[in-house]
Amino acid sequence: MTALSSENCSFQYQLRQTNQPLDVNCLLFLIILGKILLNIFTLGMRRKNTCQNFMEYFCISLAFIDLLLLVNISIILYFRDFVLLSIRFTKYHICLFTQIISFTYGFLHYPVFLIACIDYCLNFSKTTKLSFKCQKLFYFFTVILIWISVLAYVLGDPAIYQSLKAQNAASHHCPFYVSIQSYWLSFFMVMILFVAFITSWEEVTTLVQAVRITSYMNETILYFPFSSHSSYTVRSKKIFLSKLIVCFLSTWLPFVLLQVIILLLKVQVPAYIEMNIPWLYFVNSFLIATVYWFNCHKLNLRDIGLPLDPFVNWKCCFIPLTIPNLEQIEKPISIMIC
């Protein structure tokens, strides 16, 4: 393991070298192909009626970059050795392109997390009043700017340049890179979830015992009975937190357990694999839940125009105890984001 660092940079990453097997290029092709199939499956499973947001645009751009990488690998594997625009391409460039993509993906976790968080905070507070078309253009150019900035940073960093140059001199090795950003971001979110779960353990247990899963208007929802005299405002952050945890873990529990295993075993996943669309949607749901909780005092159960999650159904119907069948109700008494 070799640690690379730059005096003028605030990033850290790890370099691991392995002996290159005979079919390492074919292995890279299969890995990227599998990731693209996962991207297609994830994008196909998401809800289509969600509002415009930064994370949606970035996920689509990530799927496009993965596809572009697969096309480049396929062309080089097919022609093996060719010249394009006075540049000679060989199988060495498969490893080189993957390395550059790995560095780029590795440095995107913090910026994407921060920008998505700011985006949801602004959308919740409704401080920005852009038209639908202007909002789409804003997100589009923001995503383009992020990709160009990070790629330029990667290509211009002396430490990365020296590592790529050294790899060129020893072409029988193909190192892969592990981003420290994703490790600490995953650690941060898992710890927050753990503390939140321990803090509201009793409330979570009570809710899990009372939760009902049903279908309403062709959509699966969770609902919890409440007294018909209950208030329509959120009074307890602790109770609200327990509802957020139940809704979040009902969708992402397997992914949370996977993150825990990776952290405990210190599994080093190459950055070009670790930055994927399921991971981004996991982060997206975490951010939405966080924004809801910090602004729970502003929530009005009868007037909700908040960000929608492509995967987690944050709608919890609170039905009076006197109504035995949810299907008998044309409209829920109230819909609570939780």
Side-chain angles (χ1 to χ4, degrees):
M1 181 70 60
T2 304
L4 299 176
S5 61
S6 176
E7 295 181 356
N8 299 324
C9 304
S10 60
F11 67 86
Q12 294 180 347
Y13 52 87
Q14 294 174 318
L15 168 65
R16 179 178 177 181
Q17 290 190 341
T18 58
N19 291 330
Q20 181 179 5
L22 295 177
D23 296 328
V24 66
N25 294 323
C26 294
L27 181 60
L28 284 174
F29 173 83
L30 293 176
I31 292 175
I32 301 300
L33 178 61
K35 185 183 178 185
I36 289 177
L37 294 177
L38 179 63
N39 291 342
I40 296 174
F41 175 78
T42 306
L43 291 174
M45 289 291 293
R46 80 190 197 281
R47 292 186 179 90
K48 304 302 189 297
N49 59 345
T50 56
C51 58
Q52 298 288 332
N53 58 73
F54 165 79
M55 191 64 83
E56 283 289 320
Y57 280 79
F58 186 81
C59 286
I60 294 174
S61 70
L62 178 64
F64 175 77
I65 296 297
D66 284 339
L67 180 61
L68 189 62
L69 177 61
L70 181 68
V71 170
N72 289 333
I73 293 176
S74 302
I75 292 175
I76 296 175
L77 280 176
Y78 181 79
F79 291 103
R80 296 179 180 272
D81 192 340
F82 64 97
V83 178
L84 179 65
L85 300 178
S86 301
I87 301 176
R88 183 184 178 186
F89 292 91
T90 63
K91 284 187 175 182
Y92 152 74
H93 289 87
I94 294 178
C95 181
L96 178 63
F97 290 153
T98 306
Q99 286 179 320
I100 295 174
I101 289 296
S102 293
F103 277 115
T104 305
Y105 285 2
F107 298 130
L108 280 169
H109 293 275
Y110 287 168
V112 170
F113 183 89
L114 179 61
I115 295 175
C117 183
I118 295 174
D119 179 46
Y120 280 128
C121 290
L122 293 178
N123 286 335
F124 185 89
S125 61
K126 298 180 180 180
T127 56
T128 57
K129 297 182 179 179
L130 297 176
S131 64
F132 181 77
K133 185 176 181 180
C134 292
Q135 196 174 31
K136 289 179 65 175
L137 290 174
F138 176 76
Y139 287 138
F140 176 80
F141 285 111
T142 300
V143 169
I144 295 297
L145 180 62
I146 290 175
W147 280 107
I148 294 176
S149 301
V150 175
L151 182 60
Y153 175 77
V154 167
L155 295 179
D157 182 77
I160 298 177
Y161 175 79
Q162 291 299 325
S163 68
L164 295 177
K165 187 177 180 180
Q167 188 273 331
N168 185 21
S171 58
H172 58 283
H173 289 288
C174 186
F176 61 83
Y177 300 88
V178 180
S179 172
I180 199 65
Q181 288 189 7
S182 63
Y183 174 85
W184 286 113
L185 188 58
S186 177
F187 179 82
F188 166 76
M189 291 191 295
V190 169
M191 289 303 299
I192 292 295
L193 288 172
F194 177 76
V195 172
F197 186 79
I198 295 299
T199 303
S200 57
W201 165 257
E202 294 182 0
E203 289 78 7
V204 170
T205 303
T206 303
L207 283 177
V208 170
Q209 293 173 349
V211 68
R212 299 294 183 269
I213 303 177
T214 187
S215 177
Y216 176 75
M217 298 182 67
N218 298 323
E219 188 174 6
T220 302
I221 60 172
L222 304 176
Y223 74 94
F224 308 93
F226 77 108
S227 172
S228 59
H229 300 290
S230 297
S231 173
Y232 286 99
T233 59
V234 180
R235 294 182 176 179
S236 174
K237 272 195 171 186
K238 192 173 182 180
I239 296 176
F240 187 58
L241 178 62
S242 64
K243 296 170 183 150
L244 291 172
I245 293 174
V246 170
C247 291
F248 183 84
L249 293 182
S250 65
T251 298
W252 292 112
L253 180 58
F255 203 87
V256 172
L257 295 178
L258 176 62
Q259 295 302 311
V260 171
I261 293 174
I262 291 176
L263 291 173
L264 291 178
L265 299 181
K266 297 183 178 180
V267 179
Q268 296 182 346
V269 183
Y272 67 89
I273 300 177
E274 198 167 31
M275 173 63 80
N276 55 74
I277 292 180
W279 160 257
L280 290 175
Y281 278 130
F282 171 76
V283 174
N284 185 66
S285 297
F286 179 87
L287 288 175
I288 291 177
T290 303
V291 171
Y292 285 165
W293 186 73
F294 276 106
N295 295 276
C296 68
H297 60 284
K298 300 179 183 179
L299 296 180
N300 187 322
L301 303 187
R302 292 190 179 275
D303 181 23
I304 292 177
L306 300 175
L308 298 178
D309 195 307
F311 282 92
V312 178
N313 190 347
W314 299 103
K315 294 181 180 179
C316 290
C317 298
F318 289 71
I319 310 302
L321 294 171
T322 56
I323 299 178
N325 190 355
L326 180 64
E327 300 297 335
Q328 297 176 357
I329 310 174
E330 294 183 1
K331 294 183 179 180
I333 301 302
S334 65
I335 302 292
M336 183 174 186
I337 300 298
C338 65

